[in-house]
């Protein structure tokens, strides 16, 4: 299962969830994770079913799974690996971000990346450009600062890092990325 676009989407965007099949299916169903009732069904599918979610809302920022019933044999599959639909809400300000040391970093030294904001009850995430998942995260009970340390850095650690935060009590809704 995958999404298009494959990176973050914003509130109001349209996203397509794609379910790839190993064989033709009588039907393919799209589910929200841990919900026994399917959202939508496609019938007579060859190798891929596409489900479009238009005008993404906060409630759509959850985890999705697919399930299908093969034609021969007519068995129902297990649900697919879950896919997280991460949504950016641009009404939240991007977090601040700083690097220490600020300039030259020696191989083997430690680097600290700090992220901050003034919103209570958020979890901060550190992203490295080129990686789809955050490289580190930190939960905080109140607005403030998160410190991420990269220990004994190597050339593989070089790159562009960004911070985001997840709003507490909500789905998979994130702030825009802060830029170093």
């Amino acid at each position: 299962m995958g999404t298009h676009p494959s990176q973050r989407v914003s509130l109001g965007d349209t996203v397509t969830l794609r379910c790839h099949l190993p064989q033709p299916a009588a039907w393919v169903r799209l589910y929200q994770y841990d919900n026994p009732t399917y959202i939508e069904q496609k019938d007579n599918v060859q190798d891929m079913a596409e489900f479009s979610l238009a005008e993404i809302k906060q409630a759509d920022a959850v985890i999705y799974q697919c399930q299908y019933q093969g034609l021969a044999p007519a068995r129902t599959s297990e649900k697919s690996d879950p896919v997280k639909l991460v949504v950016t809400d641009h009404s939240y300000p991007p977090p601040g971000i700083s690097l220490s040391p600020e300039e030259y970093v020696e191989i083997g030294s430690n680097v600290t990346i700090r992220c901050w904001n003034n919103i209570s009850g958020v979890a901060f995430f550190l992203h490295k450009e080129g990686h789809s998942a955050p490289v580190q995260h930190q939960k905080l009970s109140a607005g403030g600062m998160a410190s991420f340390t990269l220990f004994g850095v190597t050339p593989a650690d070089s790159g562009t890092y960004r911070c985001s935060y997840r709003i507490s009590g909500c789905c998979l809704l994130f702030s825009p990325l802060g830029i170093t």
Side-chain angles (χ1 to χ4, degrees):
M1 180 172 188
T3 64
H4 180 75
S6 60
Q7 299 299 316
R8 288 177 174 232
V9 295
S10 298
L11 288 176
D13 286 354
T14 296
V15 67
T16 301
L17 301 173
R18 293 181 174 146
C19 303
H20 300 276
L21 307 174
Q23 66 184 58
W27 52 257
V28 179
R29 292 178 178 162
L30 179 67
Y31 293 86
Q32 283 189 352
Y33 187 74
D34 275 348
N35 187 337
T37 306
Y38 63 89
I39 300 167
E40 189 178 346
Q41 176 175 308
K42 302 282 184 179
D43 295 319
N44 300 315
V45 179
Q46 289 302 308
D47 58 356
M48 181 178 64
E50 293 188 336
F51 299 93
S52 285
L53 302 175
E55 296 184 22
I56 292 293
K57 300 174 291 305
Q58 194 173 4
D60 297 320
V62 295
I63 301 172
Y64 294 90
Q65 290 178 292
C66 293
Q67 186 176 43
Y68 70 92
Q69 181 176 330
L71 291 173
R75 283 195 216 136
T76 302
S77 72
E78 294 293 320
K79 288 185 180 170
S80 68
D81 289 337
V83 169
K84 294 179 180 180
L85 180 57
V86 176
V87 177
T88 299
D89 184 344
H90 291 279
S91 69
Y92 290 99
I97 183 169
S98 66
L99 183 68
S100 178
E102 293 181 15
E103 307 250 336
Y104 179 76
V105 176
E106 290 187 28
I107 291 176
S109 65
N110 296 341
V111 174
T112 300
I113 300 171
R114 289 184 179 85
C115 308
W116 67 89
N117 71 8
N118 294 319
I119 298 173
S120 296
V122 301
F124 283 98
F125 294 82
L126 181 64
H127 307 266
K128 182 178 181 188
E129 200 165 276
H131 292 71
S132 58
V135 292
Q136 292 186 39
H137 74 278
Q138 199 173 98
K139 294 179 183 175
L140 299 177
S141 58
M145 182 180 294
S147 293
F148 300 102
T149 302
L150 305 176
F151 295 98
V153 296
T154 68
D157 294 312
S158 65
T160 300
Y161 289 84
R162 296 186 162 116
C163 292
S164 70
Y165 55 90
R166 180 174 165 212
I167 290 78
S168 178
C170 181
C171 41
L172 297 171
L173 190 67
F174 286 80
S175 72
L177 291 172
I179 301 172
T180 54

